[in-house]
Amino acid sequence: MRLLAAALALAATCLAGSPPASAEEKKDFSVCWSIYAGWMPWGYMEDSGLLKKWADKYGIAIKAVQINDYVESINQYTAGQYDGCTMTNMDALSIPAGGGVDTTALIIGDYSNGNDGVVLKGKTALEDIKGQRINLVELSVSHYLLARALESVDMSEKDVTVVNTSDADMVAAYQTPDVTSVVTWNPLLSTIAAMPDSHEVFNSSKIPGEILDLMVVNTETLQDNPDFGKALTGAWYEMMGLMQSDTPEGTAALEAMAEASGTDLKGFEAQLATTAMFYDPAKAVEFAKSETLPETMTFVANFLFDHGILGQGAPNADFVGIAYPGGKTTGDAGNIQLRYDPTYMEMAAEKKL
């Protein structure tokens, strides 16, 4: 879930064999998504017919396809197999944008607000991490969170040793005597933090708005097919309303999403509690237009460049240009490949969809 550009080379290989999503007027579209609390609505929207309802409204067809391997979903989007895909802001910058696929963040769905954390065994302060071996999924949002945590106590990665560990092995590894520190995400985080003598010393609530979860789409496809953007966005915010409705229908939707993600309603609601969902499109628009977003993306670009994953052969952290509302850009203004465009979220906020 939510890995960074560890598969950048694979994405590049995919690109070599397939062009980006066709930029032309069309009627049939597909987006892909993977298991994560903030993305479960896409599966429910597909299964319940809500997505079809909005696609029908605009005379088009849209399929939302679940892909179990998160990185593979991004690679397939990058290779042009899908018109849109759920991914983090970091992955959007490093894989499709870094690979030359002009990509638009259509919907800012949420940000991690405690879903990712640092756990120490037998130690209670973040400063105690110095000199330790840190088990995490290398080049993932966990790696990014570690960098931000270390920075907060005037340390850097040179003060620790990163041990690349699969998320599938994280809980078992933590239970061995040699592993004393991990960085991971929910539901693994809550499982590990509940173990004896375990202490969560830093989490993503300390860096609000930095680990963003998005629905991105191919920019040219969106420009040539605005109804695609309208249908996706309209369906999403009707779903957000349903999740907050406190009705039998809303509860049924939450239960279905919980089951699909391998937990029960209580467990799913606990994950949502540490996921800052932008249920209100106006709030998402406000975030997209904030001064903090360019600052965050500059920090992310620097992180990616420092770890050698900001596009193949990137000469510096400004290699990929990013556009924001109001004409502001960061990075190379001559190579804009990632765009935060709140147009469709604004239409939802103004009830114009």
Side-chain angles (χ1 to χ4, degrees):
M1 183 190 79
R2 301 164 69 227
L3 302 182
L4 267 176
L8 184 56
L10 178 57
T13 300
C14 292
L15 276 172
S18 302
S22 177
E24 59 186 19
E25 187 175 349
K26 58 181 188 173
K27 295 295 183 181
D28 295 314
F29 303 87
S30 61
V31 299
C32 54
W33 65 278
S34 53
I35 296 289
Y36 170 65
W39 296 331
M40 296 311 297
W42 291 106
Y44 185 80
M45 287 153 60
E46 172 69 26
D47 295 341
S48 67
L50 179 56
L51 185 58
K52 182 180 185 302
K53 166 189 166 182
W54 278 86
D56 287 348
K57 178 177 181 177
Y58 289 99
I60 60 176
I62 305 175
K63 293 287 291 182
V65 180
Q66 179 187 344
I67 296 180
N68 291 330
D69 186 314
Y70 170 62
V71 170
E72 181 60 21
S73 73
I74 302 176
N75 289 336
Q76 290 191 29
Y77 161 77
T78 303
Q81 299 304 308
Y82 291 93
D83 302 294
C85 183
T86 57
M87 64 186 74
T88 69
N89 51 326
M90 289 171 276
D91 295 320
L93 179 59
S94 61
I95 301 181
V101 176
D102 196 324
T103 292
T104 294
L106 180 75
I107 299 169
I108 301 176
D110 68 83
Y111 62 81
S112 176
N113 196 36
N115 262 339
D116 303 81
V118 181
V119 178
L120 300 185
K121 185 186 295 180
K123 302 290 184 180
T124 59
L126 178 58
E127 289 82 356
D128 294 328
I129 203 170
K130 187 170 185 177
Q132 292 206 37
R133 291 165 58 84
I134 317 298
N135 290 70
L136 53 75
V137 179
E138 197 170 13
L139 306 179
S140 72
V141 290
S142 294
H143 204 156
Y144 176 84
L145 185 72
L146 174 64
R148 295 293 278 126
L150 292 169
E151 182 186 64
S152 74
V153 288
D154 297 321
M155 290 189 224
S156 68
E157 284 186 58
K158 72 180 187 314
D159 294 303
V160 298
T161 300
V162 170
V163 180
N164 189 27
T165 307
S166 166
D167 56 323
D169 300 329
M170 195 69 69
V171 173
Y174 186 75
Q175 295 177 81
T176 64
D178 292 341
V179 176
T180 60
S181 178
V182 301
V183 187
T184 189
W185 52 72
N186 272 325
L188 305 177
L189 175 62
S190 57
T191 299
I192 291 172
M195 292 181 182
D197 207 17
S198 300
H199 305 276
E200 185 177 306
V201 295
F202 190 90
N203 65 44
S204 52
S205 69
K206 305 289 187 182
I207 53 168
E210 292 193 22
I211 300 176
L212 301 176
D213 298 306
L214 314 169
M215 168 56 78
V216 308
V217 296
N218 180 279
T219 298
E220 289 185 276
T221 299
L222 179 64
Q223 289 175 345
D224 289 350
N225 302 274
D227 285 347
F228 170 52
K230 292 176 183 178
L232 277 181
T233 308
W236 176 260
Y237 286 111
E238 181 172 337
M239 183 68 198
M240 292 300 98
L242 179 63
M243 289 172 66
Q244 285 200 301
S245 66
D246 193 23
T247 63
E249 294 78 10
T251 300
L254 291 170
E255 289 175 338
M257 289 185 284
E259 181 179 359
S261 60
T263 187
D264 56 16
L265 179 58
K266 183 178 179 181
F268 187 61
E269 288 178 334
Q271 292 181 38
L272 287 176
T274 51
T275 307
M277 299 292 296
F278 287 113
Y279 292 106
D280 181 352
K283 296 294 185 182
V285 170
E286 181 182 355
F287 183 86
K289 294 182 175 181
S290 70
E291 291 298 319
T292 59
L293 182 56
E295 295 172 4
T296 293
M297 292 308 300
T298 297
F299 191 97
V300 169
N302 283 318
F303 172 85
L304 294 171
F305 178 72
D306 290 345
H307 289 81
I309 49 177
L310 183 62
Q312 289 190 322
N316 52 54
D318 291 329
F319 173 61
V320 180
I322 308 171
Y324 309 90
K328 183 178 178 61
T329 63
T330 58
D332 184 356
N335 184 37
I336 299 294
Q337 298 292 345
L338 180 61
R339 304 167 194 271
Y340 286 95
D341 183 358
T343 299
Y344 295 86
M345 295 188 296
E346 284 183 309
M347 294 175 71
E350 296 167 2
K351 303 190 182 308
K352 292 181 177 179
L353 292 174

